[in-house]
Amino acid sequence: MNDVPNPFRDGLTRSDAPAPCVFVLFGATGDLTARKLVPALWQLVRGGLAPKQFFVLGVARRAKSDDEFRAEMRAAVDKFGRDRPADEAEWEAFAQRLGYCVCEFTQPAAYQALAQRLRGIDASHGTAGNRLYYLAVAPEFFEGITSSLHEAELIGPDQAGGWRRVVIEKPFGTDLASAARLSGHLHGLLTEDQIYRIDHYLGKETVQNLLTLRFGNAIFEPLWNRNHIEHVQITVAETEGIGRRGEFYDQTGALRDMVQNHMMQLLALVAMEPPVTWEAGAIRDEKAKVLRALPAWTPAQVASRVVRAQYTRGTLAGVEMPGFTEEAGIAPDSLTESYVAMRLTLDTWRWSGVPFYLRHGKRLPKRTTEIAIAFHQPPLSLFPPTVGRSGNTLVMRIQPDEGISLNFVAKVPGTRLTLQAVKMDFGYGSSFAQTSPEAYERLLLDAMLGDNTLFTREDEVASAWRFVDSVRAGLAEQPRDTMAGYAVGSWGPAAADALLDGDATWRRL
Ligand code: BG6
């Protein structure tokens, strides 16, 4: 049995703090550090969840003093943090545990200076040689940084001198071959248990609640299979475009940016079998089985099951916006998708024949992530068809407006027999007084605790890539005119409607 605290059992209020450690943050001048990582670390310290002996060492290539870094992080916390510092004294207590170390990632000598700095921090802050390295850098640096850390004896198997863990930001590879190469490289330096592949969707409160809903209640599980479920829809809709990430996005596209990781994880959580224990390995085993049940597709299967598209000039929230190929960093003749929809099935006993419809796009009318479980229609229609389908749907709203609702039909009061769709609704906001922690808070804390339940394992990542690679290969064979268009602010291309079987339709959100 794993004796580390379990996030599902203990919640974020657990009192056992992680062991002393240094959080070594590569990519300290980047966007993720300012927007997510340091605000999350600040929140953990503020809430008393970080270890008492703790230090955050920012590492990047640009020269900067500790004080300059602290001032920048203060601005970041003010702008992006959940809670601002109550006063200067509170911030100062945190700032004293923040430092900066310049490091030219590609030069092994720089790592000697880093080693020396870390020894100094252990002496001054009692961090006991425990290190959590977080690689918030471009993927091309993953291998070089970990090799240099290894040569400087800063990582390796855990020893009496402290534990060593490495968190790898996405993307973990760009296809199956590169992900396998990266895993192979890391396994030469670390055990799988020391590798934390982060997928921030797994840190979202509502994503974790999916497991609670399924396995903490007896009413849903008997229905959770092909006998009762007609289809499942997973939607990740964003209003955002590609921002300043044009070049990156043009190389990546919606399939690799969102489907291979976040959406495959949502799929795995919805479809997995009950784990035999609530332990990390058992939960990951079940998720891995789902992803293994996703066969690679032939180009002909891709052609009939996938629709990809790019947004075209249009209006969102009253603002006229450029089309995808007009964005900075995107090639005018780009064949990268900003929208993808697909129909997939899982070759398992539980799900055989049940379509899972996935859709994700940028510049859609509304930011919404949800999973909708559509149950079968009644076997016989006794009532006038005033509402069309029965609408028995269980909807898990991941974000925003987090909650769960069960939709069904009810009789409209009156002397006539008229049916109307109604819903029973649970909302996080109205049921709980406390606000949810940010995904990164949970995940960074878990990594410090040595709990990798909410991180992805090598085999999960590999299966997701095998599937996505086959989709990309199929799309690459298709003629240019199969790239559909959808106006900014619309719900995607009309072609996506044809993916749904029978009289099912995409949910209107
Ligand atoms: C990131 C993607 O992983 O997730 C972005 O690279 C996307 O393109 C983001 O916008 C969505 O995250 P969230 O938490 O805002 O849904």
Side-chain angles (χ1 to χ4, degrees):
M1 279 289 288
N2 197 346
D3 60 0
V4 295
N6 184 309
F8 298 114
R9 191 189 63 222
D10 301 334
L12 247 189
T13 53
R14 56 198 166 189
S15 54
D16 36 347
C21 67
V22 184
F23 191 100
V24 187
L25 178 42
F26 282 87
T29 50
D31 223 34
L32 189 68
T33 295
R35 280 177 182 274
K36 298 286 181 191
L37 301 176
V38 168
L41 291 167
W42 150 255
Q43 205 69 40
L44 291 175
V45 169
R46 181 162 206 263
L49 293 159
K52 293 264 172 298
Q53 283 92 15
F54 183 52
F55 197 89
V56 179
L57 183 64
V59 180
R61 287 177 290 180
R62 221 171 296 158
K64 200 182 290 268
S65 69
D66 283 349
D67 279 341
E68 280 169 323
F69 183 59
R70 288 173 186 146
E72 283 171 16
M73 293 305 106
R74 172 67 201 259
V77 166
D78 280 345
K79 189 159 175 204
F80 302 113
R82 256 196 320 135
D83 292 330
R84 305 262 168 84
D87 52 34
E88 281 316 303
E90 193 187 22
W91 174 256
E92 252 327 287
F94 179 64
Q96 289 315 310
R97 295 151 165 217
L98 265 183
Y100 184 83
C101 180
V102 64
C103 174
E104 186 48 65
F105 298 153
T106 53
Q107 287 179 8
Y111 293 76
Q112 294 307 331
L114 176 61
Q116 198 177 349
R117 181 79 193 264
L118 287 169
R119 280 193 295 274
I121 294 170
D122 281 343
S124 58
H125 286 76
T127 39
N130 295 326
R131 321 240 187 274
L132 184 66
Y133 298 97
Y134 196 110
L135 305 193
V137 293
E140 64 258 33
F141 294 114
F142 291 161
E143 294 192 13
I145 290 176
T146 44
S147 291
S148 300
L149 285 170
H150 178 71
E151 277 151 30
E153 296 182 15
L154 287 169
I155 52 171
D158 292 346
Q159 312 135 3
W163 49 254
R164 309 287 145 88
R165 297 175 195 141
V166 179
V167 184
I168 309 274
E169 253 301 332
K170 71 177 270 269
F172 196 90
T174 50
D175 55 15
L176 177 58
S178 57
R181 243 187 344 264
L182 180 55
S183 275
H185 166 85
L186 294 172
H187 286 152
L189 312 173
L190 300 156
T191 61
E192 174 68 21
D193 272 356
Q194 294 175 290
I195 304 167
Y196 288 70
R197 297 174 190 80
I198 200 161
D199 183 316
H200 79 279
Y201 266 56
L202 292 178
K204 290 183 191 280
E205 196 70 35
T206 34
V207 172
Q208 295 161 50
N209 197 37
L210 197 57
L211 294 187
T212 318
L213 175 90
R214 286 194 56 195
F215 305 126
N217 298 291
I219 53 172
F220 300 113
E221 199 51 24
L223 305 179
W224 215 266
N225 57 51
R226 66 197 170 88
N227 298 326
H228 300 278
I229 294 179
E230 185 198 81
H231 73 261
V232 177
Q233 289 190 23
I234 304 181
T235 301
V236 181
E238 295 188 291
T239 50
E240 291 294 314
I242 47 166
R244 286 178 294 153
R245 301 191 305 159
E247 256 166 63
F248 159 80
Y249 198 88
D250 206 13
Q251 300 296 316
T252 307
L255 267 167
R256 291 197 280 195
D257 188 42
M258 294 294 286
V259 177
Q260 187 274 339
N261 37 62
H262 310 322
M263 294 188 80
M264 287 292 125
Q265 287 296 318
L266 295 180
L267 172 72
L269 291 170
V270 177
M272 68 188 260
E273 295 299 315
V276 283
T277 67
W278 226 216
E279 185 209 42
I283 293 172
R284 292 161 125 201
D285 284 347
E286 299 307 333
K287 279 169 44 203
K289 280 192 219 162
V290 173
L291 298 171
R292 220 163 61 208
L294 259 181
W297 286 346
T298 62
Q301 288 169 326
V302 172
S304 63
R305 298 174 184 174
V306 181
V307 168
R308 54 161 174 183
Q310 294 173 334
Y311 55 82
T312 54
R313 185 168 277 279
T315 307
L316 184 60
V319 181
E320 162 106 14
M321 294 182 181
F324 181 71
T325 52
E326 299 168 293
E327 300 268 21
I330 304 290
D333 60 349
S334 170
L335 272 177
T336 303
E337 72 289 349
S338 63
Y339 173 100
V340 64
M342 61 175 73
R343 179 187 65 236
L344 59 84
T345 47
L346 294 169
D347 291 342
T348 68
W349 191 272
R350 184 187 286 266
W351 294 114
S352 180
V354 178
F356 285 74
Y357 301 115
L358 272 52
R359 62 177 162 165
H360 158 67
K362 302 252 182 225
R363 289 280 190 242
L364 300 182
K366 205 172 155 190
R367 176 173 181 252
T368 313
T369 299
E370 64 149 57
I371 299 171
I373 312 285
F375 292 94
H376 284 304
Q377 300 294 305
L380 192 67
S381 182
L382 296 175
F383 303 108
T386 41
V387 285
R389 300 166 60 78
S390 83
N392 283 165
T393 311
L394 181 70
V395 180
M396 288 157 281
R397 299 190 302 274
I398 309 288
Q399 65 187 18
D401 181 28
E402 293 89 346
I404 297 172
S405 56
L406 183 61
N407 303 330
F408 53 98
V409 291
K411 181 183 169 302
V412 178
T415 51
R416 297 179 52 187
L417 181 59
T418 314
L419 303 187
Q420 186 178 306
V422 294
K423 65 179 175 190
M424 290 197 290
D425 203 27
F426 149 72
Y428 267 78
S430 46
S431 296
F432 297 112
Q434 65 268 47
T435 52
S436 300
E438 280 283 321
Y440 277 98
E441 292 171 38
R442 157 53 58 82
L443 296 174
L444 300 187
L445 180 61
D446 283 358
M448 287 190 253
L449 284 164
D451 183 340
N452 52 19
T453 312
L454 298 177
F455 293 81
T456 53
R457 204 169 59 186
E458 181 188 12
D459 51 350
E460 296 176 61
V461 174
S463 297
W465 272 128
R466 186 172 3 87
F467 171 68
V468 167
D469 283 358
S470 76
V471 175
R472 294 190 64 243
L475 291 175
E477 288 192 8
Q478 293 180 12
R480 173 168 277 276
D481 62 6
T482 58
M483 173 68 76
Y486 62 103
V488 163
S490 72
W491 273 109
D497 296 343
L499 292 173
L500 282 79
D501 292 332
D503 60 353
T505 52
W506 289 109
R507 281 172 46 77
R508 289 208 201 113
L509 305 173

